[in-house]
Amino acid sequence: MINKTLLNYLSFFILVLISACANQKPPTGGPEDYNPPVLKKSTPENNSVNFKEKTIVLEFDEYVDAQKLRENIIISPLIEGQFDVVARKKTVFIKFRESFKDNTTYNINFGESIKDVTRSNISKNLTLAFSTGPFIDSLSIKGNVYNFVKGGGMKDISVQLYTTADTNNIKNNKPLYYTKTDEAGNFIINNIKEGTYDVYALQDNNANFKYDNEKESIAYLYDLLINKKINDIKLGITKSDTKPPIIISKKSENEHYLFNVSEGLENYTLKTKTLKVLTDLSEDKKTIKIFNTFNSKDSIQIYYELTDSSGNINVDSTKILFEELKNKKVKNNFSFLIPVNKLQIIKNEDINIKFNKPISQINYTQIKIKKDTTQQTIDENKIVLDSTTLLRLKLINTYRFKDSLLLNFGKGAFISIDGDSSYATKFKISYKKEELFGIIGGTIICKDSNYIFQLIDSKGQVLDAKHNATKFYYNYLEPSNYILKIIVDINNNGRWDPTDIYKNTPPEPIHYYKEKITLRANWELLDLKFEVK
């Protein structure tokens, strides 16, 4: 006598075989079909109880295609076993290989996986709930997942629920309930059993339901009591940064040695036991250039400390070896520039000069300054060289010129550490025309003890930051769009701290001014009021 279970399996796989072999075609003729498939009947019926079977059957009003069901279906609570899908004419069969858990309410969201075979009209918002026990759980949570830093809803974020009293969590196991957010970042989880849960929103890049990669953004809400329907959950996701920066590559290049770092640095120090190390950091803060001041053909032990913007520190050492420069033609020529736009400054703004090699000597007699048509006496105390890098020189500007300030650097005004003499050059500096720029100013009202106010340009670059300021004023701003932002610096460490799931600390609050500020030439916006409520 054939076992009943075996007979059921044989019947199901015969159905699979017939479906695969048949050349399924919808009936032809009649008007164009613009309506999605309509579910006429299901087994079990929606909100059924005491369902004990392993096969779910969906019957529609027209021929359907369910090829994408497996990748779109969301079953909550999660099931461990596999399942098979067969679409035959107007019917979809979902055969589960393992039994459902006893006394459990399941909710199945079919996403956009079922469509008709004529015009691919998708059956949306198709869900099915049933219970394997005598009653069905009916609680739900609804909310939104958004980008905590930039704002805006986040699509395809996994929202996961774990029982608070359980040892399982997002770091070591799969969730009890889950769903995904829609285009606007909205989500809903239905048919939840009453209890206390930990709620997570995870940008699950590797689709394993676990938080095991700090490149994945995350948010969490602990100890949420669900004893009624909840409709207002807000989850702002950020990346948790607890890994220190590391040197990912290093090489000798021309006259320099380069360290390439895994992320932008907030601060760094390099030293040997006995010698000073002269360095420069690239604009993206990911490459450290080491200048060869060692006069050594052997390896040099470098001790370094690297700090990223989240305060993670890496302290270590490594050996470097400068390769001998075989081709003298590739040697870098000594050069310098004044890094201001079109050599224009505002009144009394200091003048900065950037060199491509560290400076060993300044010949003040080769530096001439002319205010309009009048030659000025050089004050050596007003020429300040950055003692850390020897790459940056500041000319303290107290010259109140009318039309222009002419800087005349004769040949050899500066000598590099390689003995190069600077070439002769002139820089003509003028004032910025006020009518080409705009002004932004206003007041700040924030009751938090510590906060950071930021002015941000249209490219997302922070132009200025103030700590616990009550007023702000910026002139000579380019016509553009600007953003005002306040970071509540809870731990008073002078920076914004994201989520740290390992320390169970949420991200520090961020507030934006109510709208982007559009500034035009010759405009003054002086009555702005930025209040954090």
Side-chain angles (χ1 to χ4, degrees):
M1 185 173 181
I2 299 177
N3 182 278
K4 184 176 180 181
T5 301
L6 180 60
L7 183 60
N8 287 338
Y9 273 106
L10 287 173
S11 300
F12 177 75
F13 285 110
I14 289 172
L15 182 60
V16 173
L17 183 61
I18 292 173
S19 175
C21 296
N23 184 16
Q24 181 173 316
K25 294 182 179 180
T28 59
E32 288 284 353
D33 180 14
Y34 294 99
N35 297 317
V38 176
L39 182 64
K40 305 297 288 186
K41 181 181 178 182
S42 67
T43 304
E45 294 182 355
N46 193 36
N47 292 325
S48 294
V49 295
N50 296 315
F51 181 71
K52 304 297 183 182
E53 303 300 323
K54 296 181 181 180
T55 301
I56 292 174
V57 183
L58 307 176
E59 298 179 33
F60 294 87
D61 65 342
E62 59 180 315
Y63 284 51
V64 292
D65 175 0
Q67 293 183 39
K68 294 188 177 181
L69 188 144
R70 187 181 299 279
E71 61 191 76
N72 284 282
I73 193 171
I74 296 177
I75 304 173
S76 190
L78 282 174
I79 60 168
E80 295 295 336
Q82 300 295 314
F83 60 88
D84 300 292
V85 178
V86 172
R88 178 61 177 163
K89 296 183 178 180
K90 300 180 181 181
T91 307
V92 177
F93 300 86
I94 308 171
K95 176 69 176 182
F96 293 86
R97 300 182 187 179
E98 304 290 337
S99 298
F100 294 108
K101 292 181 180 180
D102 293 335
N103 298 315
T104 302
T105 298
Y106 288 88
N107 184 278
I108 302 178
N109 188 323
F110 296 93
E112 298 185 354
S113 60
I114 297 176
K115 59 185 179 180
D116 63 28
V117 296
T118 54
R119 296 184 60 87
S120 296
N121 298 306
I122 297 172
S123 180
K124 297 183 179 181
N125 302 318
L126 181 60
T127 60
L128 176 66
F130 63 88
S131 174
T132 57
F135 61 90
I136 191 161
D137 297 318
S138 59
L139 298 177
S140 65
I141 61 171
K142 183 189 296 184
N144 180 265
V145 178
Y146 63 96
N147 186 309
F148 188 88
V149 176
K150 298 180 179 180
M154 299 287 289
K155 176 186 176 184
D156 287 334
I157 301 298
S158 179
V159 181
Q160 307 178 185
L161 266 65
Y162 295 79
T163 304
T164 297
D166 202 340
T167 57
N168 292 337
N169 58 51
I170 200 167
K171 290 173 280 188
N172 61 32
N173 218 317
K174 292 182 178 181
L176 181 60
Y177 299 95
Y178 99 105
T179 190
K180 286 188 175 182
T181 58
D182 64 15
E183 295 276 350
N186 298 319
F187 69 89
I188 183 170
I189 300 179
N190 291 310
N191 303 108
I192 301 172
K193 186 177 182 179
E194 182 176 341
T196 303
Y197 297 89
D198 295 336
V199 185
Y200 296 90
L202 176 66
Q203 195 171 28
D204 193 13
N205 297 328
N206 55 9
N208 67 349
F209 297 99
K210 297 178 183 178
Y211 179 69
D212 53 8
N213 186 340
E214 287 197 351
K215 292 182 179 179
E216 297 177 330
S217 295
I218 191 169
Y220 57 85
L221 177 62
Y222 290 145
D223 299 331
L224 177 66
L225 174 62
I226 303 178
N227 58 3
K228 61 180 180 180
K229 291 184 177 181
I230 302 174
N231 297 320
D232 56 355
I233 293 177
K234 300 289 185 182
L235 296 167
I237 65 173
T238 69
K239 290 182 180 178
S240 177
D241 184 6
T242 61
K243 293 182 179 179
I246 60 172
I247 298 173
I248 56 177
S249 66
K250 57 181 185 176
K251 64 178 180 178
S252 179
E253 185 177 273
N254 296 346
E255 306 162 84
H256 314 120
Y257 203 93
L258 302 179
F259 285 167
N260 293 313
V261 188
S262 58
E263 58 181 305
L265 297 177
E266 185 74 14
N267 198 4
Y268 72 97
T269 57
L270 271 67
K271 60 183 179 181
T272 69
K273 287 186 176 180
T274 58
L275 299 174
K276 183 176 182 179
V277 180
L278 296 179
T279 65
D280 191 25
L281 187 64
S282 62
E283 286 190 11
D284 64 2
K285 299 185 177 183
K286 292 184 178 181
T287 302
I288 302 173
K289 179 190 290 184
I290 303 174
F291 295 94
N292 189 359
T293 58
F294 302 100
N295 193 26
S296 173
K297 295 183 179 180
D298 298 325
S299 296
I300 303 161
Q301 189 81 19
I302 299 290
Y303 300 89
Y304 61 84
E305 180 176 301
L306 311 177
T307 307
D308 65 14
S309 59
S310 296
N312 301 307
I313 300 175
N314 180 13
V315 179
D316 208 337
S317 67
T318 187
K319 288 186 177 181
I320 67 172
L321 176 64
F322 286 94
E323 295 179 355
E324 184 179 352
L325 193 62
K326 297 178 181 179
N327 185 0
K328 301 297 182 181
K329 291 183 179 180
V330 301
K331 186 174 181 179
N332 292 317
N333 293 323
F334 184 35
S335 63
F336 58 96
L337 57 86
I338 297 179
V340 296
N341 186 26
K342 298 180 181 179
L343 296 179
Q344 291 181 329
I345 63 173
I346 63 175
K347 293 180 180 179
N348 299 327
E349 180 181 0
D350 293 335
I351 300 169
N352 295 288
I353 301 175
K354 171 71 184 295
F355 299 86
N356 69 333
K357 292 183 180 182
I359 302 301
S360 64
Q361 182 181 341
I362 301 175
N363 296 320
Y364 296 97
T365 58
Q366 292 298 101
I367 302 176
K368 310 292 183 184
I369 298 178
K370 183 182 287 187
K371 185 180 73 171
D372 297 320
T373 59
T374 305
Q375 196 73 33
Q376 302 294 303
T377 302
I378 295 298
D379 184 350
E380 295 183 10
N381 293 324
K382 292 182 180 179
I383 299 176
V384 181
L385 182 65
D386 176 13
S387 60
T388 302
T389 66
L390 305 182
L391 290 168
R392 294 168 179 83
L393 182 145
K394 180 168 67 175
L395 174 61
I396 300 175
N397 181 20
T398 58
Y399 304 99
R400 295 180 178 272
F401 58 89
K402 180 180 179 182
D403 296 317
S404 65
L405 190 70
L406 183 65
L407 306 181
N408 191 337
F409 299 104
K411 181 176 173 56
F414 307 101
I415 309 297
S416 79
I417 58 172
D418 292 332
D420 305 88
S421 294
S422 62
Y423 52 84
T425 189
K426 297 178 181 179
F427 293 103
K428 186 177 182 180
I429 296 174
S430 61
Y431 287 134
K432 293 178 179 180
K433 295 181 180 180
E434 295 185 13
E435 64 269 20
L436 298 179
F437 300 89
I439 300 174
I440 292 176
T443 58
I444 302 168
I445 301 174
C446 183
K447 294 183 179 180
D448 292 283
S449 300
N450 298 291
Y451 58 89
I452 304 167
F453 170 85
Q454 293 179 341
L455 173 69
I456 302 172
D457 67 13
S458 59
K459 297 180 181 179
Q461 299 296 316
V462 178
L463 301 180
D464 187 54
K466 302 180 185 296
H467 293 259
N468 300 332
T470 57
K471 294 182 179 180
F472 59 93
Y473 178 86
Y474 300 101
N475 57 3
Y476 291 99
L477 290 176
E478 299 277 355
S480 184
N481 292 322
Y482 294 91
I483 296 172
L484 304 182
K485 175 180 174 182
I486 286 179
I487 298 169
V488 179
D489 190 13
I490 294 175
N491 57 12
N492 197 24
N493 63 355
R495 62 175 180 268
W496 176 71
D497 293 303
T499 296
D500 189 337
I501 194 171
Y502 301 103
K503 295 181 181 178
N504 292 341
T505 56
E508 290 181 318
I510 293 176
H511 303 275
Y512 291 92
Y513 187 65
K514 57 186 177 182
E515 59 191 13
K516 289 184 179 179
I517 299 170
T518 299
L519 185 65
R520 297 180 182 177
N522 210 25
W523 273 26
E524 293 184 358
L525 303 176
L526 297 176
D527 297 320
L528 302 179
K529 183 180 178 182
F530 191 173
E531 182 175 5
V532 177
K533 296 183 179 181

PDB file of all heavy atoms in Angstrom, residues 326-348:
ATOM      1  N   LYS A 326      66.187  56.794 -10.247  1.00  0.00           N
ATOM      2  CA  LYS A 326      67.088  56.484 -11.357  1.00  0.00           C
ATOM      3  C   LYS A 326      66.966  57.500 -12.486  1.00  0.00           C
ATOM      4  O   LYS A 326      67.947  57.851 -13.126  1.00  0.00           O
ATOM      5  CB  LYS A 326      66.795  55.073 -11.870  1.00  0.00           C
ATOM      6  CG  LYS A 326      67.049  53.993 -10.826  1.00  0.00           C
ATOM      7  CD  LYS A 326      66.695  52.617 -11.369  1.00  0.00           C
ATOM      8  CE  LYS A 326      66.945  51.546 -10.301  1.00  0.00           C
ATOM      9  NZ  LYS A 326      66.584  50.184 -10.792  1.00  0.00           N
ATOM     10  N   ASN A 327      65.759  57.962 -12.742  1.00  0.00           N
ATOM     11  CA  ASN A 327      65.535  58.917 -13.815  1.00  0.00           C
ATOM     12  C   ASN A 327      65.337  60.304 -13.209  1.00  0.00           C
ATOM     13  O   ASN A 327      64.288  60.607 -12.645  1.00  0.00           O
ATOM     14  CB  ASN A 327      64.316  58.512 -14.645  1.00  0.00           C
ATOM     15  CG  ASN A 327      64.106  59.413 -15.854  1.00  0.00           C
ATOM     16  OD1 ASN A 327      64.882  60.350 -16.081  1.00  0.00           O
ATOM     17  ND2 ASN A 327      63.063  59.128 -16.616  1.00  0.00           N
ATOM     18  N   LYS A 328      66.335  61.152 -13.329  1.00  0.00           N
ATOM     19  CA  LYS A 328      66.271  62.476 -12.722  1.00  0.00           C
ATOM     20  C   LYS A 328      65.189  63.353 -13.352  1.00  0.00           C
ATOM     21  O   LYS A 328      64.749  64.342 -12.766  1.00  0.00           O
ATOM     22  CB  LYS A 328      67.632  63.178 -12.839  1.00  0.00           C
ATOM     23  CG  LYS A 328      68.771  62.434 -12.173  1.00  0.00           C
ATOM     24  CD  LYS A 328      68.574  62.308 -10.674  1.00  0.00           C
ATOM     25  CE  LYS A 328      69.761  61.601 -10.021  1.00  0.00           C
ATOM     26  NZ  LYS A 328      69.580  61.436  -8.564  1.00  0.00           N
ATOM     27  N   LYS A 329      64.729  62.980 -14.553  1.00  0.00           N
ATOM     28  CA  LYS A 329      63.722  63.784 -15.236  1.00  0.00           C
ATOM     29  C   LYS A 329      62.364  63.731 -14.545  1.00  0.00           C
ATOM     30  O   LYS A 329      61.529  64.615 -14.733  1.00  0.00           O
ATOM     31  CB  LYS A 329      63.578  63.317 -16.687  1.00  0.00           C
ATOM     32  CG  LYS A 329      64.790  63.616 -17.545  1.00  0.00           C
ATOM     33  CD  LYS A 329      64.549  63.183 -18.994  1.00  0.00           C
ATOM     34  CE  LYS A 329      65.768  63.503 -19.857  1.00  0.00           C
ATOM     35  NZ  LYS A 329      65.543  63.093 -21.277  1.00  0.00           N
ATOM     36  N   VAL A 330      62.130  62.667 -13.776  1.00  0.00           N
ATOM     37  CA  VAL A 330      60.839  62.546 -13.094  1.00  0.00           C
ATOM     38  C   VAL A 330      60.839  63.284 -11.757  1.00  0.00           C
ATOM     39  O   VAL A 330      59.839  63.314 -11.058  1.00  0.00           O
ATOM     40  CB  VAL A 330      60.459  61.061 -12.870  1.00  0.00           C
ATOM     41  CG1 VAL A 330      60.376  60.332 -14.181  1.00  0.00           C
ATOM     42  CG2 VAL A 330      61.444  60.370 -11.928  1.00  0.00           C
ATOM     43  N   LYS A 331      61.954  63.886 -11.421  1.00  0.00           N
ATOM     44  CA  LYS A 331      62.032  64.630 -10.167  1.00  0.00           C
ATOM     45  C   LYS A 331      61.076  65.814 -10.210  1.00  0.00           C
ATOM     46  O   LYS A 331      60.980  66.523 -11.201  1.00  0.00           O
ATOM     47  CB  LYS A 331      63.457  65.122  -9.945  1.00  0.00           C
ATOM     48  CG  LYS A 331      63.671  65.793  -8.587  1.00  0.00           C
ATOM     49  CD  LYS A 331      65.133  66.126  -8.385  1.00  0.00           C
ATOM     50  CE  LYS A 331      65.356  66.764  -7.027  1.00  0.00           C
ATOM     51  NZ  LYS A 331      66.785  67.082  -6.780  1.00  0.00           N
ATOM     52  N   ASN A 332      60.353  66.023  -9.129  1.00  0.00           N
ATOM     53  CA  ASN A 332      59.362  67.090  -9.074  1.00  0.00           C
ATOM     54  C   ASN A 332      60.043  68.449  -8.996  1.00  0.00           C
ATOM     55  O   ASN A 332      60.935  68.673  -8.167  1.00  0.00           O
ATOM     56  CB  ASN A 332      58.457  66.919  -7.852  1.00  0.00           C
ATOM     57  CG  ASN A 332      57.578  65.699  -7.972  1.00  0.00           C
ATOM     58  OD1 ASN A 332      57.015  65.435  -9.027  1.00  0.00           O
ATOM     59  ND2 ASN A 332      57.469  64.948  -6.888  1.00  0.00           N
ATOM     60  N   ASN A 333      59.640  69.356  -9.874  1.00  0.00           N
ATOM     61  CA  ASN A 333      60.139  70.723  -9.806  1.00  0.00           C
ATOM     62  C   ASN A 333      59.504  71.441  -8.620  1.00  0.00           C
ATOM     63  O   ASN A 333      58.356  71.195  -8.265  1.00  0.00           O
ATOM     64  CB  ASN A 333      59.825  71.464 -11.109  1.00  0.00           C
ATOM     65  CG  ASN A 333      60.590  70.903 -12.290  1.00  0.00           C
ATOM     66  OD1 ASN A 333      61.744  70.502 -12.151  1.00  0.00           O
ATOM     67  ND2 ASN A 333      59.947  70.856 -13.445  1.00  0.00           N
ATOM     68  N   PHE A 334      60.278  72.331  -8.047  1.00  0.00           N
ATOM     69  CA  PHE A 334      59.814  73.089  -6.880  1.00  0.00           C
ATOM     70  C   PHE A 334      58.808  74.150  -7.350  1.00  0.00           C
ATOM     71  O   PHE A 334      59.112  74.946  -8.243  1.00  0.00           O
ATOM     72  CB  PHE A 334      61.026  73.729  -6.205  1.00  0.00           C
ATOM     73  CG  PHE A 334      60.714  74.455  -4.936  1.00  0.00           C
ATOM     74  CD1 PHE A 334      59.724  73.993  -4.070  1.00  0.00           C
ATOM     75  CD2 PHE A 334      61.419  75.597  -4.579  1.00  0.00           C
ATOM     76  CE1 PHE A 334      59.453  74.660  -2.891  1.00  0.00           C
ATOM     77  CE2 PHE A 334      61.151  76.267  -3.403  1.00  0.00           C
ATOM     78  CZ  PHE A 334      60.160  75.788  -2.564  1.00  0.00           C
ATOM     79  N   SER A 335      57.618  74.147  -6.758  1.00  0.00           N
ATOM     80  CA  SER A 335      56.588  75.104  -7.168  1.00  0.00           C
ATOM     81  C   SER A 335      55.734  75.504  -5.975  1.00  0.00           C
ATOM     82  O   SER A 335      55.749  74.849  -4.932  1.00  0.00           O
ATOM     83  CB  SER A 335      55.695  74.509  -8.271  1.00  0.00           C
ATOM     84  OG  SER A 335      54.995  73.380  -7.779  1.00  0.00           O
ATOM     85  N   PHE A 336      54.986  76.588  -6.167  1.00  0.00           N
ATOM     86  CA  PHE A 336      54.062  77.025  -5.120  1.00  0.00           C
ATOM     87  C   PHE A 336      52.940  77.824  -5.756  1.00  0.00           C
ATOM     88  O   PHE A 336      53.031  78.274  -6.912  1.00  0.00           O
ATOM     89  CB  PHE A 336      54.787  77.848  -4.045  1.00  0.00           C
ATOM     90  CG  PHE A 336      55.488  79.074  -4.564  1.00  0.00           C
ATOM     91  CD1 PHE A 336      54.880  80.317  -4.513  1.00  0.00           C
ATOM     92  CD2 PHE A 336      56.778  78.988  -5.096  1.00  0.00           C
ATOM     93  CE1 PHE A 336      55.536  81.452  -4.980  1.00  0.00           C
ATOM     94  CE2 PHE A 336      57.433  80.120  -5.555  1.00  0.00           C
ATOM     95  CZ  PHE A 336      56.812  81.361  -5.510  1.00  0.00           C
ATOM     96  N   LEU A 337      51.854  77.986  -5.010  1.00  0.00           N
ATOM     97  CA  LEU A 337      50.696  78.719  -5.524  1.00  0.00           C
ATOM     98  C   LEU A 337      49.938  79.357  -4.369  1.00  0.00           C
ATOM     99  O   LEU A 337      50.138  79.010  -3.199  1.00  0.00           O
ATOM    100  CB  LEU A 337      49.778  77.793  -6.324  1.00  0.00           C
ATOM    101  CG  LEU A 337      49.217  76.542  -5.617  1.00  0.00           C
ATOM    102  CD1 LEU A 337      47.943  76.863  -4.857  1.00  0.00           C
ATOM    103  CD2 LEU A 337      48.940  75.453  -6.629  1.00  0.00           C
ATOM    104  N   ILE A 338      49.057  80.302  -4.731  1.00  0.00           N
ATOM    105  CA  ILE A 338      48.154  80.903  -3.753  1.00  0.00           C
ATOM    106  C   ILE A 338      46.763  80.322  -4.013  1.00  0.00           C
ATOM    107  O   ILE A 338      46.153  80.638  -5.036  1.00  0.00           O
ATOM    108  CB  ILE A 338      48.139  82.439  -3.881  1.00  0.00           C
ATOM    109  CG1 ILE A 338      49.529  82.997  -3.567  1.00  0.00           C
ATOM    110  CG2 ILE A 338      47.110  83.049  -2.934  1.00  0.00           C
ATOM    111  CD1 ILE A 338      49.627  84.514  -3.677  1.00  0.00           C
ATOM    112  N   PRO A 339      46.283  79.447  -3.151  1.00  0.00           N
ATOM    113  CA  PRO A 339      45.028  78.722  -3.427  1.00  0.00           C
ATOM    114  C   PRO A 339      43.770  79.527  -3.104  1.00  0.00           C
ATOM    115  O   PRO A 339      42.967  79.168  -2.247  1.00  0.00           O
ATOM    116  CB  PRO A 339      45.140  77.497  -2.520  1.00  0.00           C
ATOM    117  CG  PRO A 339      45.954  77.962  -1.368  1.00  0.00           C
ATOM    118  CD  PRO A 339      46.912  78.985  -1.922  1.00  0.00           C
ATOM    119  N   VAL A 340      43.605  80.669  -3.781  1.00  0.00           N
ATOM    120  CA  VAL A 340      42.359  81.428  -3.650  1.00  0.00           C
ATOM    121  C   VAL A 340      41.774  81.620  -5.038  1.00  0.00           C
ATOM    122  O   VAL A 340      42.501  81.708  -6.029  1.00  0.00           O
ATOM    123  CB  VAL A 340      42.554  82.795  -2.952  1.00  0.00           C
ATOM    124  CG1 VAL A 340      43.012  82.622  -1.531  1.00  0.00           C
ATOM    125  CG2 VAL A 340      43.532  83.665  -3.725  1.00  0.00           C
ATOM    126  N   ASN A 341      40.465  81.675  -5.125  1.00  0.00           N
ATOM    127  CA  ASN A 341      39.773  81.771  -6.398  1.00  0.00           C
ATOM    128  C   ASN A 341      40.077  83.103  -7.097  1.00  0.00           C
ATOM    129  O   ASN A 341      39.759  84.162  -6.578  1.00  0.00           O
ATOM    130  CB  ASN A 341      38.267  81.620  -6.170  1.00  0.00           C
ATOM    131  CG  ASN A 341      37.505  81.558  -7.470  1.00  0.00           C
ATOM    132  OD1 ASN A 341      38.053  81.149  -8.488  1.00  0.00           O
ATOM    133  ND2 ASN A 341      36.245  81.958  -7.429  1.00  0.00           N
ATOM    134  N   LYS A 342      40.702  83.009  -8.291  1.00  0.00           N
ATOM    135  CA  LYS A 342      41.000  84.176  -9.132  1.00  0.00           C
ATOM    136  C   LYS A 342      41.835  85.228  -8.387  1.00  0.00           C
ATOM    137  O   LYS A 342      41.788  86.423  -8.705  1.00  0.00           O
ATOM    138  CB  LYS A 342      39.705  84.801  -9.650  1.00  0.00           C
ATOM    139  CG  LYS A 342      38.888  83.868 -10.532  1.00  0.00           C
ATOM    140  CD  LYS A 342      37.616  84.540 -11.007  1.00  0.00           C
ATOM    141  CE  LYS A 342      36.802  83.591 -11.873  1.00  0.00           C
ATOM    142  NZ  LYS A 342      35.529  84.215 -12.331  1.00  0.00           N
ATOM    143  N   LEU A 343      42.606  84.775  -7.374  1.00  0.00           N
ATOM    144  CA  LEU A 343      43.476  85.669  -6.606  1.00  0.00           C
ATOM    145  C   LEU A 343      42.714  86.864  -6.048  1.00  0.00           C
ATOM    146  O   LEU A 343      43.185  88.002  -6.049  1.00  0.00           O
ATOM    147  CB  LEU A 343      44.658  86.145  -7.462  1.00  0.00           C
ATOM    148  CG  LEU A 343      45.620  85.044  -7.916  1.00  0.00           C
ATOM    149  CD1 LEU A 343      46.740  85.633  -8.766  1.00  0.00           C
ATOM    150  CD2 LEU A 343      46.198  84.293  -6.731  1.00  0.00           C
ATOM    151  N   GLN A 344      41.511  86.564  -5.561  1.00  0.00           N
ATOM    152  CA  GLN A 344      40.694  87.606  -4.944  1.00  0.00           C
ATOM    153  C   GLN A 344      40.467  87.256  -3.476  1.00  0.00           C
ATOM    154  O   GLN A 344      40.239  86.101  -3.121  1.00  0.00           O
ATOM    155  CB  GLN A 344      39.348  87.741  -5.649  1.00  0.00           C
ATOM    156  CG  GLN A 344      39.448  88.307  -7.065  1.00  0.00           C
ATOM    157  CD  GLN A 344      38.093  88.452  -7.709  1.00  0.00           C
ATOM    158  OE1 GLN A 344      37.176  87.685  -7.435  1.00  0.00           O
ATOM    159  NE2 GLN A 344      37.948  89.456  -8.564  1.00  0.00           N
ATOM    160  N   ILE A 345      40.538  88.275  -2.627  1.00  0.00           N
ATOM    161  CA  ILE A 345      40.363  88.069  -1.192  1.00  0.00           C
ATOM    162  C   ILE A 345      39.377  89.102  -0.667  1.00  0.00           C
ATOM    163  O   ILE A 345      39.064  90.094  -1.330  1.00  0.00           O
ATOM    164  CB  ILE A 345      41.706  88.190  -0.434  1.00  0.00           C
ATOM    165  CG1 ILE A 345      42.282  89.607  -0.592  1.00  0.00           C
ATOM    166  CG2 ILE A 345      42.689  87.128  -0.912  1.00  0.00           C
ATOM    167  CD1 ILE A 345      43.513  89.879   0.258  1.00  0.00           C
ATOM    168  N   ILE A 346      38.884  88.846   0.529  1.00  0.00           N
ATOM    169  CA  ILE A 346      38.088  89.856   1.211  1.00  0.00           C
ATOM    170  C   ILE A 346      39.039  90.731   2.021  1.00  0.00           C
ATOM    171  O   ILE A 346      40.210  90.401   2.214  1.00  0.00           O
ATOM    172  CB  ILE A 346      37.028  89.221   2.129  1.00  0.00           C
ATOM    173  CG1 ILE A 346      37.675  88.409   3.247  1.00  0.00           C
ATOM    174  CG2 ILE A 346      36.067  88.357   1.335  1.00  0.00           C
ATOM    175  CD1 ILE A 346      36.687  87.854   4.250  1.00  0.00           C
ATOM    176  N   LYS A 347      38.553  91.862   2.478  1.00  0.00           N
ATOM    177  CA  LYS A 347      39.406  92.809   3.185  1.00  0.00           C
ATOM    178  C   LYS A 347      40.007  92.177   4.437  1.00  0.00           C
ATOM    179  O   LYS A 347      39.305  91.509   5.213  1.00  0.00           O
ATOM    180  CB  LYS A 347      38.610  94.064   3.539  1.00  0.00           C
ATOM    181  CG  LYS A 347      38.201  94.875   2.314  1.00  0.00           C
ATOM    182  CD  LYS A 347      37.422  96.112   2.690  1.00  0.00           C
ATOM    183  CE  LYS A 347      37.028  96.900   1.442  1.00  0.00           C
ATOM    184  NZ  LYS A 347      36.247  98.117   1.769  1.00  0.00           N
ATOM    185  N   ASN A 348      41.314  92.406   4.625  1.00  0.00           N
ATOM    186  CA  ASN A 348      42.074  91.930   5.790  1.00  0.00           C
ATOM    187  C   ASN A 348      42.181  90.399   5.855  1.00  0.00           C
ATOM    188  O   ASN A 348      42.580  89.844   6.887  1.00  0.00           O
ATOM    189  CB  ASN A 348      41.467  92.445   7.094  1.00  0.00           C
ATOM    190  CG  ASN A 348      41.482  93.961   7.175  1.00  0.00           C
ATOM    191  OD1 ASN A 348      42.391  94.603   6.660  1.00  0.00           O
ATOM    192  ND2 ASN A 348      40.463  94.536   7.803  1.00  0.00           N
TER     193      ASN A 348
END
